Structure formats: structure tokens, C-alpha cells
Amino acid sequence: MSNIYGVAGHPIGHSLSPVIHNMLFEYYNIDAVYEKFDIAPQDFENTMDIMWKQGVKGINVTIPHKVKALETVDCLEPFALSVRSVNTIRFDGNKTYGYNTDGIGFIKALEKAGQSVENRKIAILGAGGAVNSVAKICMLKGAENVTIFARNIEKAQIVAEKVGTSCAILNEYKNYDYDIIVNATPVGMFPNTEECVIDEIKSGVFAFDLIYNPEKTSFMKLAEKCGSKAENGLWMLIYQAFEAFKIWQGINPDEIIAEKIYKRLNEVLNEK
Ligand code: NAP
């Protein structure tokens, strides 16, 4: 029987993770399937236990289960512990292991775009779940400084304190110097594609939108209009999945399958 992997969320219908992982299984000739599991918050812990006992090998975890997953696993890798959030579970023998691959996915996506956070000033818009990983990895990878800008300053302060960065109210970003600006809010995501969380971006910086639907977001259009380069979050999605695949299979996916997956995901997104 094929090994079973999957993604647990609520809701989960929109997830592109099965496309990525099932293409990886096929490419590397691995006898496994990757499915979506819609699990209500109150059922998460029990369902993970049942899955483990039934021989499921690994689960990706998405909204709203990332904190519950942290509390559920036996062992945590340091990054997941530091951001208090788990997006990948490995079921192994007598123990369950929790990881968070969002940060490394973000860094690899930046590298793919020819960017590095080292010695650079980073402005992050938003103070939600994704910001924890993005802000923390920027600090760990040697950013000169990281500032979290959010409409709710209390939330920004909680995240900033947790990951060791500074923070300010959203519109203050205009008074700060930055080399890379990251949109980590859902503003501009399909179907509200005309919306943008800010109205100006400095010239000559790099703008990264965590959103990947639409392919060119309002935030990216604004950056280009202001004379800056921009990229969407699709490579981040791919690379966080590749890190999970590496944890489960011990294989680092190559660039040939990466490009095939990128093309396929864009086709799927355009079909929607
Ligand atoms: P989240 O936990 O819901 O946080 C969203 C953040 O955006 C909150 O700080 C929220 O502020 C803020 N926000 C929402 N609407 C806003 C508005 N109109 N103006 C200003 N701020 C606003 O979401 P998340 O999990 O961090 O995800 C954020 C985005 O990143 C989503 O679009 C998600 O799809 C994307 N994402 C992409 C990847 C990838 O691999 N590419 C990975 C993770 C996330 P309040 O708290 O005040 O509401």
C-alpha cells in the first residue's frame, strides 16, 4: 500500500500542496500519495493520533492548526520552537516531530530572485502567523534590522517581542529606510485583486508579496511603478513544500522538477 502524506487545515479546499507533493512523488518514483484533510480545530489532536496509528508518514499543517500542532508533537526543531508554530509533522516510530519550513521557504524564494537579507534593512507589513517565520528567519540570516509594520500595534508588539525585532504602526513605514519590503497581509489576494495595503514604495528596493494569486499583485504593480523590482510568493510556497519533502524523504528536490511545478501551479491558478 502507498505511504500516505497530506495537509491538514480548515478550510483546505484551496490548497496547492497536493499538486506539489504528488508531482515530487512521481518525479522521484516514490510510492506515496498526498491528500487534503479538512479537520475542525477541536478534532485536530485526536485526528493526528489516529493518523499516526494508521501509519500516515507526514502531515503539513496550515491555518488554523499551526499552534495546536506545536503543542501536539513530542519533539520540536529549534526554528519551530522559536516561532511557536509548526507547519510540518513527521511521524516516526514512537515519536512525532514538528518543524516549520515557512522561514526557509521565504529565504530560498528571495535567493531565487537574486536577493539576500544579509546586512539589509527589512520592512514587513502585517503581524499575523506568517510574519513570525519571515521576521525570525531574516534576523537569523543576518539582516541589519527588521521592522514589523501593522495596523494593530499591540499585535505587532507581541510578534516583535517574540522574534526579537522592532515594530511600528503600519503607515510609519514611510518614515523608515528599507532595502526589502514584504507584504505579509492578505490584502490584494484574489478576488480582491485591486486592493493594496500601502500606497507608495521606495525606488530601487525589492518588494516581495507573500500572495501568489493573482500572479502580479497590486503590491507588485505599485513597486514596479515606483521603480522597484517585485516578486510574488509562489516560489516561497514551493520551497517550503520542498523543505517538508526533504524532512520526510531525505531528498533535496532539483531545479528541473522545481521549474515543472512552478509552471503547473501557474496553470492551476489560471484555471481557477
Ligand atoms: P494572518 O495570520 O491572517 O495575518 C494577516 C495579517 O494581515 C494580520 O496582521 C492582519 O491584521 C493583517 N491585515 C489583514 N487585512 C489588513 C488590512 N486591510 N490592512 C492592514 N493589515 C491587514 O495571515 P498569515 O497566515 O500571516 O498570511 C498572510 C498572507 O501571506 C496571506 O495572504 C497568506 O496567503 C500568505 N502566505 C503565503 C505563504 C507562501 O508560501 N507564499 C505562506 C504563508 C502565508 P489584523 O490582525 O489587524 O487583522
Side-chain angles (χ1 to χ4, degrees), residues 63 66 102 126-131 150-152 155 170 183-187 189 197 210-212 233-234 236-237 240:
I63 292 169
K66 287 184 176 186
D102 285 333
V131 173
R151 63 181 174 181
N152 182 325
K155 286 189 185 173
L170 184 63
N183 176 33
T185 77
V187 184
M189 191 159 66
V197 70
L210 263 56
I211 295 170
Y212 46 79
L234 195 56
M236 176 176 168
L237 180 80
Q240 62 78 28

Side-chain angles (χ1 to χ4, degrees), residues 23-74:
M23 282 183 76
L24 287 170
F25 292 150
E26 197 183 331
Y27 185 75
Y28 287 105
N29 264 318
I30 293 168
D31 184 13
V33 289
Y34 186 104
E35 293 169 5
K36 293 181 213 176
F37 299 103
D38 192 330
I39 301 169
Q42 66 273 18
D43 298 332
F44 181 77
E45 200 167 347
N46 196 26
T47 310
M48 286 302 111
D49 204 41
I50 293 167
M51 283 182 170
W52 183 22
K53 285 178 180 144
Q54 288 187 341
V56 172
K57 299 290 179 197
I59 290 288
N60 282 132
V61 179
T62 187
I63 292 169
H65 304 309
K66 287 184 176 186
V67 176
K68 193 74 196 162
L70 176 105
E71 294 160 1
T72 306
V73 294
D74 300 315

Side-chain angles (χ1 to χ4, degrees), residues 70-141:
L70 176 105
E71 294 160 1
T72 306
V73 294
D74 300 315
C75 308
L76 280 170
E77 53 103 21
F79 187 75
L81 182 62
S82 68
V83 296
R84 315 275 328 141
S85 162
V86 160
N87 80 338
T88 303
I89 298 177
R90 179 168 63 91
F91 298 108
D92 188 12
N94 297 325
K95 286 204 161 66
T96 56
Y97 297 82
Y99 308 80
N100 189 308
T101 67
D102 285 333
I104 197 72
F106 171 76
I107 289 295
K108 289 199 164 176
L110 275 189
E111 280 170 8
K112 179 93 183 166
Q115 300 291 321
S116 159
V117 297
E118 204 179 334
N119 297 323
R120 300 181 84 194
K121 298 181 258 313
I122 318 294
I124 303 175
L125 310 172
V131 173
N132 289 273
S133 301
V134 169
K136 185 71 189 181
I137 201 80
C138 289
M139 297 294 287
L140 291 174
K141 294 288 180 184

Side-chain angles (χ1 to χ4, degrees), residues 173-238:
Y173 81 95
K174 291 181 183 175
N175 302 322
Y176 279 64
D177 191 20
Y178 55 88
D179 306 302
I180 296 177
I181 186 162
V182 181
N183 176 33
T185 77
V187 184
M189 191 159 66
F190 181 84
N192 303 312
T193 55
E194 297 305 311
E195 293 176 5
C196 188
V197 70
I198 53 175
D199 56 16
E200 64 179 56
I201 290 178
K202 271 176 44 184
S203 174
V205 301
F206 184 75
F208 189 93
D209 199 339
L210 263 56
I211 295 170
Y212 46 79
N213 187 15
E215 196 172 345
K216 185 166 279 191
T217 65
S218 294
F219 179 77
M220 293 167 67
K221 286 180 191 163
L222 175 67
E224 288 170 5
K225 197 179 93 189
C226 296
S228 287
K229 288 185 188 157
E231 183 62 67
N232 73 22
L234 195 56
W235 280 111
M236 176 176 168
L237 180 80
I238 293 170

